[in-house]
Amino acid sequence: MNLDIRQLKNSPGQNFPFDWTEESEPVDHKGQPLKLTRPVHARGKALYQSGVLHIQLDLETELETECSRCLTSVRIPVKLHEFLEFIEEPKEGMNHVLIEEYSFEHGLDEMDLLPYATKLAISSLDIKPLCRPDCQGLCPTCGKDLNQGICKCALAAEKGDPRLKRLKELLSSQE
Ligand SMILES: [Zn+2]
Ligand SMILES: [Zn+2]
């Protein structure tokens, strides 16, 4: 996904369309490798003007992560529409403070858009992804996936403690 910066700078103010599809390696996400289960599709246009690279980006891919309740793997489709701006860093020797992510080296010829595209896709992920909105999660006692049915803990709770049941019976017989 290499943007030809030299070409963009040769025609300032002119839009250059792009349309790329590329596989991405799993990326690190909170210390865990996150798989991209579909190639990253990046489509849009790029324009350079007065030291700034403007990118309009339509992004599509799919991420594989864990359901935050039941821990099964879930595939989450990602579809984003973003505007990015990259500032060209000044020549060496000048004082400047720039956020590395959104700047590029002075005189750079090409820039790979894929790392930015994957980063955007990941940042779009929900903090607590779910396999489905009504996921029942795991039983906190036995760890059973409650989406697959009720567990023995829940059954026991439903039946109640046998001693408690006996007491109830005694109490009701006195009425
Ligand atoms: Zn779940
Ligand atoms: Zn249980």
Side-chain angles (χ1 to χ4, degrees):
M1 292 196 179
N2 280 337
L3 271 178
D4 189 340
I5 294 180
R6 207 204 297 234
Q7 183 191 39
L8 291 167
K9 283 171 85 171
N10 282 340
S11 312
Q14 193 189 321
N15 268 312
F16 287 87
F18 57 84
D19 193 331
W20 292 305
T21 306
E22 199 175 320
E23 296 272 356
S24 170
E25 296 286 311
V27 277
D28 186 76
H29 178 56
K30 296 178 194 160
Q32 299 284 326
L34 191 80
K35 241 201 288 177
L36 286 89
T37 40
R38 248 173 44 203
V40 179
H41 183 201
R43 200 166 51 89
K45 46 195 180 182
L47 174 152
Y48 176 90
Q49 198 157 43
S50 321
V52 185
L53 178 62
H54 303 264
I55 298 169
Q56 193 182 316
L57 176 67
D58 283 307
L59 183 67
E60 270 185 72
T61 186
E62 188 183 66
L63 301 172
E64 191 175 72
T65 185
E66 261 178 9
C67 170
S68 62
R69 284 189 200 152
C70 71
L71 311 179
T72 54
S73 86
V74 266
R75 290 183 174 196
I76 297 174
V78 175
K79 207 172 178 177
L80 298 171
H81 185 67
E82 301 276 344
F83 291 96
L84 303 176
E85 277 184 5
F86 294 86
I87 300 160
E88 182 164 20
E89 289 174 4
K91 280 182 190 160
E92 254 187 296
M94 289 176 73
N95 281 332
H96 62 281
V97 183
L98 286 170
I99 306 163
E100 199 194 314
E101 259 186 289
Y102 290 107
S103 66
F104 62 93
E105 228 175 279
H106 187 90
L108 190 74
D109 287 339
E110 283 189 333
M111 187 171 70
D112 187 5
L113 211 55
L114 185 64
Y116 297 99
T118 52
K119 207 176 267 187
L120 280 170
I122 291 163
S123 62
S124 77
L125 264 187
D126 216 308
I127 302 167
K128 292 189 181 229
L130 293 175
C131 60
R132 53 181 220 222
D134 63 340
C135 172
Q136 300 299 302
L138 303 176
C139 169
T141 312
C142 70
K144 189 186 152 129
D145 183 350
L146 299 176
N147 296 311
Q148 288 163 15
I150 207 157
C151 65
K152 57 184 188 301
C153 319
L155 283 173
E158 214 163 75
K159 275 187 202 149
D161 189 308
R163 286 163 301 172
L164 209 68
K165 209 174 161 192
R166 177 94 184 96
L167 188 68
K168 269 186 197 159
E169 278 166 10
L170 283 171
L171 287 172
S172 59
S173 66
Q174 283 172 1
E175 275 168 18

